[in-house]
């Protein structure tokens, strides 16, 4: 059977008449993205998508150990656990870092960004949680610089490397959102949604749960995400830090789990 590529060009042309066209020239690259007006929603959907190549799928944020311990055995357990992370753990802390990074980037406050990055890198409570934040942060800056042509991301990565400061995802993503001029409310909610959705996906695979259970969890977490994002924007100078102690302990114990699927 002939494929669509076997048809004559004239047979395909009417399908695409009137559609916006993107250049597929061999030299099309980051400059093509910079030349077009930025579409905030388009960027946010891409940058927080599971397909964005920062390796988020390989981290469970300690959830794998919690499943092993029996602390997470149902969809309700998973939802409550992630809600705790959002309200009292990395969700709350990283939302604050992302807000401050976005505002510092928009204000061209390079020294402020470096100081913020140093603080964020120091607050990881476990080696694997540090790996999770730092590897994803570095990959985020690299992908946005090379794939989306955001030169500030490459410059920031170079300054961090020169200062010996590892990038974290919250600061990297917040700063890139600020440089790209993304609406702050959308940016913070999208980042928190991406964090929560990735953990739901990990839980669905680990417990295991059905995909519908996973969607119920994401739906239930929506108001929590909105509240945490709004609070982070109202109080950007709030001292960073969390009190999700059980989650921190499971992250520490995950480092010695004999057989595992995830890196954190």
């Amino acid at each position: 059977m002939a494929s669509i590529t076997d048809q004559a060009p004239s047979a395909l042309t009417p399908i695409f008449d009137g559609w916006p066209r993107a250049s597929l020239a061999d030299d099309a690259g980051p400059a093509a993205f910079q030349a077009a007006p930025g579409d905030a929603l388009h960027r946010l959907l891409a940058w927080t998508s599971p397909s964005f190549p920062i390796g988020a799928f390989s981290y469970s944020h300690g959830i794998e150990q919690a499943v092993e311990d029996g602390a997470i055995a149902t969809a309700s357990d998973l939802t409550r656990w992630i809600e705790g992370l959002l309200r009292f753990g990395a969700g709350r802390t990283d939302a604050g870092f992302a807000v401050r990074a976005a505002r510092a980037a928009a204000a061209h406050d390079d020294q402020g960004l470096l100081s913020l990055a140093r603080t964020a890198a120091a607050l990881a409570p476990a080696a694997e949680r540090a790996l999770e934040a730092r590897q994803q942060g570095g990959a985020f800056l690299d992908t946005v610089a090379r794939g989306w042509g955001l030169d500030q991301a490459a410059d920031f990565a170079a300054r961090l490397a020169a200062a010996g400061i590892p990038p974290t995802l919250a600061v990297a993503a917040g700063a890139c959102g600020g440089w790209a001029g993304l609406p702050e409310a959308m940016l913070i909610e999208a980042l928190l949604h991406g964090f929560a959705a990735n953990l739901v996906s990990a839980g669905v695979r680990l417990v295991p749960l059905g995909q519908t259970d996973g969607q119920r969890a994401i739906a239930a977490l929506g108001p929590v995400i909105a509240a945490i994002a709004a609070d982070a924007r109202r109080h950007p100078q709030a001292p960073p830090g969390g009190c999700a102690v059980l989650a921190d302990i499971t992250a520490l114990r995950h480092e010695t789990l004999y057989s595992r699927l995830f890196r954190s």
Side-chain angles (χ1 to χ4, degrees):
M1 182 175 66
S3 70
I4 191 170
T5 55
D6 295 328
Q7 300 180 46
S10 59
L12 299 177
T13 301
I15 300 175
F16 299 103
D17 279 351
W19 285 24
R21 297 173 183 268
S23 171
L24 298 180
D26 291 340
D27 61 349
F33 291 101
Q34 288 182 311
D39 179 355
L41 180 59
H42 175 62
R43 285 180 183 248
L44 282 172
L45 289 173
W47 291 2
T48 60
S49 165
S51 66
F52 202 66
I54 61 174
F57 68 91
S58 63
Y59 299 94
S60 80
H61 207 77
I63 283 179
E64 185 167 21
Q65 183 66 56
V67 172
E68 178 72 15
D69 293 342
I72 299 177
T74 67
S76 295
D77 293 340
L78 178 64
T79 304
R80 286 194 295 268
W81 187 276
I82 298 173
E83 180 178 353
L85 292 174
L86 288 167
R87 291 190 185 277
F88 310 113
R92 173 185 175 276
T93 303
D94 285 355
F97 280 129
V99 169
R100 294 171 66 182
R103 295 180 183 182
H108 308 290
D109 182 4
D110 294 341
Q111 289 305 312
L113 268 178
L114 287 177
S115 177
L116 189 65
R118 183 179 288 108
T119 302
L123 286 183
E128 289 187 354
R129 289 273 294 278
L131 178 73
E132 177 182 348
R134 295 169 182 181
Q135 289 201 342
Q136 290 187 72
F140 193 96
L141 290 175
D142 182 65
T143 302
V144 171
R146 293 169 51 187
W148 291 78
L150 195 65
D151 293 337
Q152 296 96 323
D155 293 342
F156 186 42
R159 291 199 305 273
L160 288 172
I165 303 171
T168 61
L169 180 59
V171 173
C176 288
W179 288 318
L182 302 184
E184 185 178 277
M186 290 175 61
L187 171 66
I188 305 307
E189 285 204 38
L191 294 175
L192 285 173
H193 172 83
F195 171 73
N198 186 65
L199 298 188
V200 167
S201 177
V204 165
R205 285 174 279 170
L206 287 164
V207 173
L209 301 171
Q211 295 295 328
T212 301
D213 284 331
Q215 289 302 305
R216 290 192 184 104
I218 291 175
L221 293 168
V224 180
I225 289 170
I228 299 302
D231 189 62
R233 295 180 62 229
R234 281 194 301 266
H235 307 288
Q237 299 303 321
C243 57
V245 179
L246 182 58
D248 292 343
I249 291 172
T250 58
L252 289 165
R253 294 183 57 238
H254 185 260
E255 297 173 12
T256 59
L257 188 63
Y258 174 71
S259 178
R260 61 190 194 179
L261 300 175
F262 292 88
R263 303 183 72 184
S264 72

